Every structure is written in structure tokens, then in C-alpha cells.
Amino acid sequence: MVEAQSVCVIGAGFSGLTSALILARNGRKVTLIEKSPRLGLTGRGFSREGVYFDTGLHYTGGLAENGIVSRYLRYLGLAPLDVAAFADDCFDEIRFADTGRVVRLPIGYEAMTEALCRQFPQDAVAVRAYMRDAHSDFDASSLLGFFMNMGGAPSKRSNVPLARYLENATGNAHLRATLAMHSLLYGVSPEEVSFTQHAYVTASYFDSVHNFAGGGRALVLAMERKLESLGVTIRKGTAVTRLHSDSPKRLNAVELDSGERIDTDAVVCTVHPPALAAMGKDVLRPAYLAHLRDLEETSTACMLFGIAEARPECLKGRNLFLCRDATLENSFSADAKPENGPYFVACSPQKDGGDGRIGVVVVAPGSFEQVRAWAGSGRADRPAAYKQWKQHVMENIRQSLVDMCPELAAVRFVDGATPLTMRDFLHTPHGGLYGCKHSVGQLNPMPMTRISNLWLAGQSIIAPGLMGTMISAFLACGFLVGHSTLHKDAVCG
């Protein structure tokens, strides 16, 4: 535990918002600095024609009454928040166009195991082994207590690529694709991600799957209200450009793009690691700077946003994965073709607009290479060639989507996003959706650094998603307020 009365938190995504709340709740004087004009920009989504689109939080595990995310929210003073449940018998439906096979995933460890065994009866042994191993690795992970297993033995599967595990388990390509499907939701291919890291995401759905009734926006707004009540100083629309130090291993101030300097006793940085390298070039070691800059990003995407007059039957209580065949490679390819899928399709978690209309979000593969020619442009000055390309791609995605799921033909698509959109909103160099990859071959930054009062949080540190970002915040802030205190109050309390 490090004594610090004033703390600057850089970045106001879910990890930055969580960090600021933890520190303020524990009596620290907190300044939260966000480059974008609004807090939680990605997580809060947006509206078109009075209809809400939930862009950054489609669902999460851990929101049951005693789930770990629910405990964190209670600790932060954010409960109760109304949650939206998914259908117990099928929260995700996977459709394979090549065979017409439809796979339905129910909520719960036992239910999911038995359902997969029924749907893949020749591979029941493989299904049971996968579910058992995923459950075991998740239960043994830091995700349940926000402590890294420094002294314990890591899982023997922590360095085994998911694809290799699945190839050894079964020759059924559609089962392998089914068990690897959620890699689309953290942006690392089955060939690169470890089985254990994959389990951190998928096994969180074994016990519960929910969203907030008002989507990610409801959580962001609740966090904003709590920050205000705790007296947190919020600086929006300004970026940190430089970290200052008063000794080789200690920071004493951050500098904003306006030239203003804010003195501080400590910094919790939640931005994308290459952005940390840019602001820390005067204080971080050259080797560490090079490592931050060289980290590989997760995959990017194209997205479609549509309005349905009523929730489509195929999206009632569930999400869709639409696949041409049993391969997922196109999602992670450097020259990914958006029209080839696979697609993830989700609805906003509640009716919006007051008339039953609902927002439909489609996530399609994307490649930054396809937009590199326009990389020098900003949101306000995209050239005509880019706009024409975007329109063409969006039309192709829609047609491919409807071919695989005719029930979506009535959805009226009103907007779209490309890897350039992702880059500009997520502040990642190539539009990576989930920070830096958590892969077998990449060593991601730890929460602590060699600067004695600089700690890191965010999707790149522990794990992606809401649960991963919140845990990274608790880990980082534990060095300031005491891990034992946080563990007792947030997890055990």
C-alpha cells in the first residue's frame, strides 16, 4: 500500500470510472481526465431517431445477485441497478449457413453441458471435458477475487492455444467453432489465445448472463452521478500529453494538451498502452516504451446499426452468431472481408423511443488495411471516396446478413461504423476493439510499473470486457488503498 492523497486517473472508460470511484470512496482526492467530450463514450452507446444503440456492453457474466460484478457494484455504491435477463434456454444462438445447423446455448454450467451433449451426441466426452476444464480454470483465476495467483501454480492450459486444445479434443469442425465462437467478443483468434484466457470470458456465462436494463448507458450514468456525489474532479475533452517526475522512479504531475500541469501524488493510467508510451516518453525506460508500442491490438470491426419496429423474434432474449461455415479465420485476418462474416447480432436491452422500436447492432469483421488510404482523415473531413466505400461495404454486409438470417430483412439500417470509426472513438492505432491482445505469445503490462506511483488498468491488463476492466481497476487501486481492505469490503463484504 502506497500513501497518496491526490490521484490522477487517466481515461474514463469502465476501468477509469471504476478506479476513480474506488479511490474517492477511500478518501483520495481524485482528478479524472478524459480525452473525449463524454465519460464512458463507448460504453454508453448512442441514439439515432430516438432509438438507443448499446455499442459497448452487449452482455456480461457476474450480474446475478451474488455475482462478482454485482458485488463490485454494491461496493461502489451503484446498486441496485435494474438488469435485463436473457432466456435461460438460449442466450446465444449460433447458425451455420453451410449445413443449416443451429446451436443453442443455455445459461448455466449444467444446462450448457447437457445442451451441447444433446446437440453433439458423438462428441459428448469432448464437450464434458471442455466444460470441466473451462470451469476449473475460471474458478482458479484472479477473476473471482482480483488477486493474481503469484504463488500458485498456473493452469497447465494457460500456454495452450485454444485451437490446439480443440483440435486435440474433437474432429467436429462445427463443435470446435461453437466452443471458440466467443473469441469474436474479445478479438483474439483461437490460434493465438490460450485456453485459459478464453475460459475467463466464456465460463463467466456458466452462472449468469445479463445486461443492464438501460444498457451500458445506465451504468455510465450511475457512475457519473456517484462521481459527482463523491466530489471527484472531472476534466473532459482534454488529453494528458506528458507525465512529469521529480525523481527517476516517481511521478509528481501530469501535463494536459492545453499546457496545464496538474500536481499529483499518484497516477492510475487506463489508456491503450501505446498512448501511455507517448505520454511517458520522458519517464519510462526505453525498453518498456518499445514494449508498449509493439504490443499487438485485438481485431477491429465494421458495424451496422438498425431500427426494428419491434424486437425480432430471433433476438428475443438472445443474441445471434451468424456463420457461413465452421471457420472463424476471416474475423482475425489482416484482409478480413466484412461481407463474409461471421456476424454477431444483438438488440438494445430495452424498448426505446416510447413506441416499441428497438436498436439492432451488427458486428462484422473489419480490416484496418481497407481504410489505410484515409487514415489521415478525421471524423469531420472524410473524403468522398471513403464515404462511397463505406456505403458499399455496409450494403454488402446487410445483404449477406439477410441471406443468412431472413428474419432481419425488416430491420432498417440507419448508420454504420468502420475501423476508422473504431480508431477515433477507442483511441487505438488500428481500431482494436478490446485493447491489446491477451495471447499466448504476448506479455501484456502488469498493473504495477517500475515507477513507484504509477499503476495501470484497462482491458489490456487483466482481461477484456466489463468484468476484466473492473478487476484491473481493483487490482491497480489496491496498491493505493490496500488489497486486503478491498478484498474484504468488495468481495467478502
Side-chain angles (χ1 to χ4, degrees), residues 19 39 50 64 87 94 139 189 195 264 268 301 338 376 378 383 390 417 427 430 446 487 489:
S19 297
L39 305 184
I94 304 169
D139 283 352
S189 74
F195 175 90
T264 186
V268 176
K390 177 180 175 181
H427 308 304
H430 302 106
M446 301 289 281
H487 186 269
D489 292 346

Side-chain angles (χ1 to χ4, degrees), residues 371-389:
V371 296
R372 191 174 292 278
W374 306 294
S377 67
R379 281 179 282 166
D381 61 350
R382 303 285 194 228
Y386 165 81
K387 295 177 182 179
Q388 293 169 359
W389 172 86

